Amino acid sequence: MGSSEGSVLPSNVARLIDGSPARKEVSYLDVMHVYVKELIAGGAAGAFAKTAVAPLERIKILLQVETKGFHSLGVFQSLKKLLKHEGVHGFYKGNGASVIRIVPYAALHFMAYEQYRCLILDNYSALGLGPLIDLLAGAAAGGIAVLCTYPLDLARTKLAYLVVESGGSINYCMKNNHAQPAYNGIRDVLRSVYKQGGMRALYRGVGPTLIGILPYAGLKFYIYEELKRHVPEEDQKSIVMRLSYGALAGLFGLTFTYSLDVVRRQMQVESLQPSVQGNARYRNTLEGLTVIVCNQGWRQLFAGLSINHMKIVPSDAIGFTAYDMMKFWLQIPPRQKTRSISAA
């Protein structure tokens, strides 16, 4: 592999500085490393998918953290109330932080998945080529992506937690009127949180996130690739088919890990809630699960699940489909070719 790259790159660079415009366009993709292409493809897919479902994401967070005035409403009534209080802009509040987070997250997630997959195939051939490879690679990639982008997810949650009334006042989503901080954007959230508790505060809730993302990311890639294997090769390029098994992958992966996502959200917004008896800080994931069940009931572990199904199905469907299409446009070689080159 090393010798072939050594002979190809100089010729590609030579073509890049050639006077022909056509040669420039082709050779620019040729000299771009596959890592970079995978990062671009993953980041673009993540941003597109996240923005498409931003209104549902906002409502989901408001339901998860028992927002005053929203926890007893359904999805459509919540959307209607949010529109009345904040206008269309309210649907996308926190989406800036979400997109800023999802671009590096999705880029790292997809790229790391591809590379971990090749690494496992090259070094652990005894595992074969079955779906177990996708499960392990997806889980490892999800963990890396979360650790690198978690503070942005924390900022997104805190911004989405605050509801602005139509008159401009802020409803802090609580059941009393204790004064709480108002944030002026992503940078302000990160600065304030860091001042309060340092790096540890920026990673508040990362425990349940990791515990949840490892099986979720692994199952998502496992189900997606396994469904593709059962579809005739001539049908695999169909956008409808890609959307279908991308949606199913997200649906099953989410359902198995959703309660951990509720614990994560509540840990992230604890500093915005009053410290009252019965609302103790969660020291770890297990304590968070126990306290939520005891104080709020077991149903709270699934608060917002229906809207998350509505959100995750199109989100993962769009994400997987956009990634596959970006790979085609960026001329990323199919995995079979990647494996054969790596093996060679």
Side-chain angles (χ1 to χ4, degrees):
M1 180 176 179
S3 60
S4 63
E5 282 187 351
S7 61
V8 171
L9 285 178
S11 63
N12 285 336
V13 173
R15 290 202 306 270
L16 186 61
I17 60 176
D18 189 277
S20 170
R23 285 174 176 265
K24 285 183 181 179
E25 183 179 353
V26 173
S27 59
Y28 185 77
L29 287 176
D30 288 343
V31 299
M32 187 183 294
H33 201 287
V34 67
Y35 296 157
V36 178
K37 293 180 180 181
E38 289 167 353
L39 286 170
I40 294 172
F48 186 60
K50 182 63 69 174
T51 301
V53 298
L56 295 175
E57 175 71 14
R58 178 83 196 279
I59 295 299
K60 184 203 74 171
I61 292 176
L62 294 176
L63 292 175
Q64 282 183 325
V65 298
E66 289 197 304
T67 306
K68 180 182 178 181
F70 283 86
H71 63 281
S72 61
L73 298 179
V75 174
F76 294 106
Q77 287 299 316
S78 295
L79 288 168
K80 185 178 178 180
K81 182 172 183 177
L82 190 61
L83 178 64
K84 178 182 177 182
H85 282 247
E86 298 186 1
V88 176
H89 175 73
F91 291 151
Y92 295 91
K93 186 176 180 181
N95 189 54
S98 185
V99 170
I100 290 175
R101 178 192 73 91
I102 203 64
V103 168
Y105 174 84
L108 285 170
H109 197 178
F110 281 108
M111 186 275 288
Y113 163 74
E114 300 284 3
Q115 299 309 315
Y116 273 127
R117 195 173 189 278
C118 289
L119 181 68
I120 294 172
L121 287 171
D122 289 345
N123 296 279
Y124 302 95
S125 56
L127 295 175
L129 298 173
L132 178 62
I133 303 298
D134 299 303
L135 183 68
L136 296 175
I144 291 294
V146 163
L147 289 175
C148 292
T149 62
Y150 187 79
L152 292 170
D153 183 59
L154 180 75
R156 183 271 304 262
T157 301
K158 287 182 179 290
L159 287 172
Y161 179 66
L162 305 178
V163 179
V164 179
E165 301 288 350
S166 56
S169 61
I170 297 177
N171 175 358
Y172 291 95
C173 312
M174 302 176 304
K175 298 175 182 177
N176 58 33
N177 295 319
H178 288 251
Q180 297 294 332
Y183 298 117
N184 295 317
I186 302 167
R187 184 180 298 179
D188 186 36
V189 176
L190 295 176
R191 187 189 303 117
S192 298
V193 172
Y194 184 78
K195 279 185 178 180
Q196 291 171 8
M199 288 298 296
R200 184 176 184 136
L202 288 174
Y203 280 85
R204 178 77 178 154
V206 74
T209 305
L210 283 174
I211 294 173
I213 200 64
L214 294 179
Y216 170 65
L219 283 170
K220 190 168 66 171
F221 280 102
Y222 166 86
I223 295 170
Y224 182 73
E225 295 298 333
E226 184 64 13
L227 288 172
K228 284 174 66 175
R229 289 188 184 97
H230 289 83
V231 175
E233 189 171 348
E234 59 271 17
D235 295 331
Q236 288 187 8
K237 294 182 180 180
S238 165
I239 292 180
V240 174
M241 292 302 298
R242 287 175 176 173
L243 287 170
S244 298
Y245 31 74
L248 288 171
L251 181 67
F252 288 113
L254 168 74
T255 303
F256 288 123
T257 61
Y258 186 76
S259 58
L260 294 168
D261 189 51
V262 174
V263 176
R264 168 176 65 129
R265 296 298 183 196
Q266 294 210 11
M267 292 179 75
Q268 287 177 334
V269 301
E270 274 183 338
S271 64
L272 300 178
Q273 296 174 326
S275 297
V276 296
Q277 189 173 6
N279 190 28
R281 293 179 64 84
Y282 309 142
R283 289 174 293 183
N284 52 56
T285 305
L286 182 59
E287 181 178 343
L289 288 167
T290 305
V291 172
I292 289 173
V293 171
C294 292
N295 294 352
Q296 303 170 31
W298 66 268
R299 292 180 183 274
Q300 183 60 28
L301 291 177
F302 299 94
L305 179 58
S306 60
I307 192 172
N308 218 25
H309 280 152
M310 292 171 61
K311 176 187 77 77
I312 210 69
V313 167
S315 178
D316 279 344
I318 293 170
F320 274 116
T321 303
Y323 178 66
D324 280 346
M325 293 179 70
M326 287 294 296
K327 285 175 65 178
F328 174 76
W329 290 335
L330 291 171
Q331 301 175 18
I332 298 175
R335 292 197 186 101
Q336 291 80 2
K337 294 182 180 179
T338 303
R339 288 201 299 268
S340 63
I341 291 174
S342 179

